[in-house]
Amino acid sequence: MRCMPTRVTVRVRVQGTCGSRNPLRVIPRSTLCVTAAESVVDGKLEGRKEVRKRGMDGQVRGFEEIPHTGRNGWVNLVKFWREDRFRQLHKHMDRTFNALGPIYREHLGTQSNVNIFLPSDVSELFLSEGLHPERMTLEPWATHREIRQHSKGVFLKNGEEWRADRLLLNKEVMMSSAVKRFLPLLDEVARDFCQMLRMRVEREGRVVEEKHSLTINPSPDLFRFSLEASCHVIYGERIGLFSSSPSLESQKFIWAVERMLATTPPLLYLPHRLLLLIGAPLWTQHVTAWDHIFSHADARIQRGYQRLGQGSEAGAARGHYTGVLGQLLEKGQLSLDLIKANITELMAGGVDTTAVPLQFALFELGRNPEVQEQVRQQVRASWAQAGGDPQKALQGAPLLKGTVREILRLYPVGITVQRRPIRDIILQNYHVPAGTMIHVCLYHLGRSPEVFEDPQRFDPERWSRHEGKRGEGFRSLAFGFGARQCVGRRIAENEMQLLLMHILLSFRLSVPSSEDLKTTYTFILQPETPPQITFCKL
């Protein structure tokens, strides 16, 4: 464990006129020490200026002085249930930051954490995460693995065991050589999806000025695309979800993932082992969903193992990509149980987390036609020069990457990134002990005028304007940061970019209503009602 530095600096926002955006100044602790947070006293909100005046004594504030939402975790949990805050947790965090300032504590049931959002604080957290970064353990998931005697994948592991497995997985899903291998598979699925959509538009759409157009809810199709693409990369085979009658097995898998995600949030704050003992319906639903997910993955893995024994080695030797599963089986560096655990986690985490952002992306492109046309023109030029090479096409269209980053800024799939620092740190002039669970709240980060200029505006170009600037690394955090960032990041990013590329090459998008989408949280952020999108053939 590293020692605390003897010199501490504090980042202070200098107050100006309302709405002004003054830069952060770095001031030595010996010169000035303030708190940037407001506090609640006797139910009334105290302004930041008054609190700062009291903080001019040059002392770092104690952990207990961090503003909080209530000390009794069970009372807080009852309020959450009664007011249905779990489904609007992102909005609750947004309101609380606006009331209490850039740091606050929250105690809910069995969970206690500190919430932050400013990139400067995330930077401090990153520097204190150590060689084996530790995120919040999803105990309901871990308990399922234990009672079913399944191995845990890297998502649920910590310490040296996590690091050893993660380094092996990185070679197959994160490194540029791996991306180059699986990009053609994603591109094939994206092309087929657009071909299927063109046929549907021609068959069901209406003709206006000699052009076919169709208004639909694309959500079910996007879920099928995401599962088809994930399976193609992970298992090296297509599962036929674009047929007129997709398999019941795949439909059950999608249902199971949705049920698993929906039942996770309440179980995080309740004594789930007690619920296990009494056979509570919530716990039973959660376990049943996971059992379906593991059953689906197990069947796919068994088929992959059989293919490997039937001559896939020769195919791999000829340069045929056998999928992530095939690569892991051929190299034999992970046991079969660990391969199954990690493949299952990749599959469970790779459907909703790409299908839902794609819904938001189509909606934002549809209600911002000028932005849509700007991205399309860049995509057309890049596609023409790439000669069918998907990697070159993406490299020549940075606005596609900017579009995905912009969607995940406004609609982060997971609304927090969590870490436990391995040493004491100072955040917003408060002392935070080592081992404290700290949540970086992405919804508020992405929509805060303290972090982004004109934050409500959908502007993919903003990422090109700021690329490479100092301090920009902790503003786009939808996939996490550091060594523990999402292991499926490269698959998800490229999957979304490639589908958007082919859709923009084939269709002009519009929306029947440009009203803001209402969102809800069921362990991932999603629309309360999926948006209707009009696809007009180009």
Side-chain angles (χ1 to χ4, degrees):
M1 184 179 294
R2 295 187 300 186
C3 298
M4 282 287 292
T6 56
R7 183 174 181 270
V8 179
T9 61
V10 181
R11 290 170 174 81
V12 182
R13 183 169 293 281
V14 181
Q15 295 289 344
T17 59
C18 181
S20 65
R21 298 182 180 90
N22 297 306
L24 295 175
R25 292 203 319 224
V26 179
I27 305 175
R29 192 179 82 179
S30 58
T31 307
L32 175 65
C33 200
V34 302
T35 174
E38 294 169 310
S39 62
V40 176
V41 178
D42 295 328
K44 297 180 179 180
L45 185 66
E46 291 189 311
R48 298 182 183 180
K49 290 183 179 179
E50 182 180 348
V51 177
R52 284 179 174 173
K53 186 176 180 181
R54 292 207 308 254
M56 295 287 284
D57 54 11
Q59 296 297 316
V60 172
R61 298 298 187 184
F63 180 77
E64 292 298 322
E65 295 182 77
I66 297 176
H68 60 84
T69 58
R71 297 185 185 279
N72 190 310
W74 297 109
V75 171
N76 293 341
L77 186 60
V78 169
K79 289 180 180 177
F80 261 67
W81 280 106
R82 189 174 62 222
E83 299 172 12
D84 200 23
R85 290 192 203 173
F86 282 117
R87 293 178 62 84
Q88 292 294 310
L89 186 57
H90 55 301
K91 296 291 182 68
H92 163 76
M93 292 174 173
D94 202 39
R95 290 191 299 268
T96 308
F97 278 119
N98 289 334
L100 299 183
I103 184 171
Y104 70 90
R105 289 186 293 125
E106 185 132 63
H107 191 187
L108 288 177
T110 59
Q111 299 291 326
S112 183
N113 52 269
V114 169
N115 289 359
I116 61 174
F117 77 91
L118 287 175
S120 56
D121 290 335
V122 184
S123 176
E124 293 293 330
L125 182 60
F126 170 67
L127 293 174
S128 67
E129 69 175 5
L131 188 62
H132 307 121
E134 184 179 345
R135 52 167 294 146
M136 180 175 71
T137 299
L138 298 180
E139 294 295 345
W141 297 17
T143 301
H144 170 267
R145 306 303 189 270
E146 292 164 12
I147 64 174
R148 293 292 191 257
Q149 297 184 330
H150 293 314
S151 296
K152 296 176 183 176
V154 292
F155 192 84
L156 294 172
K157 284 185 175 181
N158 288 302
E160 183 55 46
E161 189 180 15
W162 161 81
R163 183 174 176 81
D165 291 357
R166 178 63 194 253
L167 289 175
L168 293 175
L169 285 174
N170 282 352
K171 295 177 182 178
E172 307 307 330
V173 294
M174 291 290 284
M175 294 179 67
S176 57
S177 56
V179 174
K180 188 175 182 179
R181 287 195 296 268
F182 65 64
L183 263 183
L185 278 67
L186 293 176
D187 187 57
E188 177 189 317
V189 179
R191 287 175 185 246
D192 288 353
F193 177 90
C194 286
Q195 176 63 24
M196 177 191 72
L197 189 56
R198 278 194 296 270
M199 292 172 63
R200 183 177 176 187
V201 171
E202 291 173 357
R203 184 176 64 251
E204 302 175 20
R206 60 193 183 95
V207 179
V208 178
E209 296 179 357
E210 300 184 355
K211 290 188 176 181
H212 290 79
S213 68
L214 179 66
T215 301
I216 59 171
N217 163 21
S219 175
D221 292 325
L222 292 174
F223 275 91
R224 287 195 290 162
F225 161 75
S226 185
L227 181 54
E228 183 82 11
S230 295
C231 284
H232 201 19
V233 170
I234 293 173
Y235 301 126
E237 66 171 354
R238 297 289 295 270
I239 59 175
L241 282 176
F242 296 164
S243 67
S244 57
S245 54
S247 70
L248 181 61
E249 175 193 8
S250 298
Q251 292 178 45
K252 281 185 176 180
F253 179 80
I254 293 174
W255 170 87
V257 170
E258 292 175 343
R259 186 94 304 257
M260 177 273 290
L261 293 172
T263 53
T264 294
L267 288 172
L268 293 176
Y269 307 102
L270 293 170
H272 60 276
R273 289 190 178 274
L274 174 61
L275 300 181
L276 166 63
L277 287 174
I278 65 175
L282 182 68
W283 176 256
T284 301
Q285 291 177 37
H286 187 74
V287 171
T288 301
W290 268 122
D291 289 344
H292 275 301
I293 292 168
F294 268 84
S295 177
H296 179 274
D298 188 56
R300 296 286 172 194
I301 291 168
Q302 289 300 323
R303 282 198 283 270
Y305 196 69
Q306 290 170 6
R307 286 200 313 273
L308 188 67
Q310 293 170 0
S312 289
E313 297 98 328
R318 292 193 301 269
H320 176 69
Y321 181 60
T322 56
V324 176
L325 173 62
Q327 296 291 303
L328 292 173
L329 289 172
E330 288 162 17
K331 293 181 179 178
Q333 295 174 301
L334 282 174
S335 70
L336 191 57
D337 282 345
L338 289 179
I339 290 174
K340 178 180 177 180
N342 285 292
I343 289 294
T344 303
E345 286 182 5
L346 277 171
M347 283 301 303
V351 179
D352 294 57
T353 51
T354 50
V356 171
L358 283 168
Q359 292 179 48
F360 288 121
L362 295 178
F363 171 76
E364 288 292 351
L365 288 168
R367 74 166 177 173
N368 292 277
E370 292 181 0
V371 174
Q372 180 188 157
E373 194 57 34
Q374 183 183 18
V375 180
R376 177 182 292 106
Q377 292 304 322
Q378 190 179 85
V379 164
R380 277 178 171 166
S382 181
W383 182 250
Q385 294 176 0
D389 184 332
Q391 189 169 34
K392 288 182 180 178
L394 293 183
Q395 289 171 346
L399 283 178
L400 272 176
K401 182 178 181 180
T403 297
V404 171
R405 294 179 79 176
E406 192 72 343
I407 289 300
L408 294 175
R409 174 183 73 83
L410 291 166
Y411 310 100
V413 180
I415 59 174
T416 67
V417 176
Q418 320 90 37
R419 290 291 188 274
R420 293 187 189 273
I422 63 172
R423 57 175 176 81
D424 292 8
I425 58 175
I426 306 297
L427 296 175
Q428 291 299 314
N429 208 38
Y430 291 102
H431 174 259
V432 179
T436 302
M437 179 55 66
I438 300 175
H439 288 197
V440 181
C441 301
L442 304 186
Y443 185 84
H444 188 77
L445 185 159
R447 293 170 179 258
S448 171
E450 295 185 75
V451 182
F452 292 98
E453 183 178 355
D454 197 4
Q456 300 302 320
R457 182 185 176 198
F458 176 65
D459 179 17
E461 252 194 324
R462 77 169 75 234
W463 299 101
S464 299
R465 292 195 298 268
H466 293 275
E467 195 74 44
K469 287 189 178 181
R470 186 177 180 182
E472 293 298 308
F474 294 98
R475 302 198 317 157
S476 180
L477 299 175
F479 294 101
F481 55 84
R484 192 131 201 178
Q485 64 184 286
C486 174
V487 70
R489 175 175 188 165
R490 302 304 179 205
I491 298 175
E493 285 178 326
N494 287 287
E495 184 179 321
M496 289 188 279
Q497 289 180 53
L498 284 167
L499 183 64
L500 292 175
M501 178 177 72
H502 287 294
I503 285 178
L504 290 172
L505 288 170
S506 301
F507 303 98
R508 179 167 285 106
L509 308 172
S510 59
V511 291
S513 172
S514 60
E515 293 292 317
D516 288 346
L517 291 176
K518 293 182 179 179
T519 52
T520 186
Y521 177 71
T522 56
F523 200 61
I524 65 170
L525 190 68
Q526 56 188 316
E528 281 189 5
T529 303
Q532 296 284 312
I533 308 294
T534 298
F535 295 86
C536 180
K537 272 190 65 179
L538 292 173

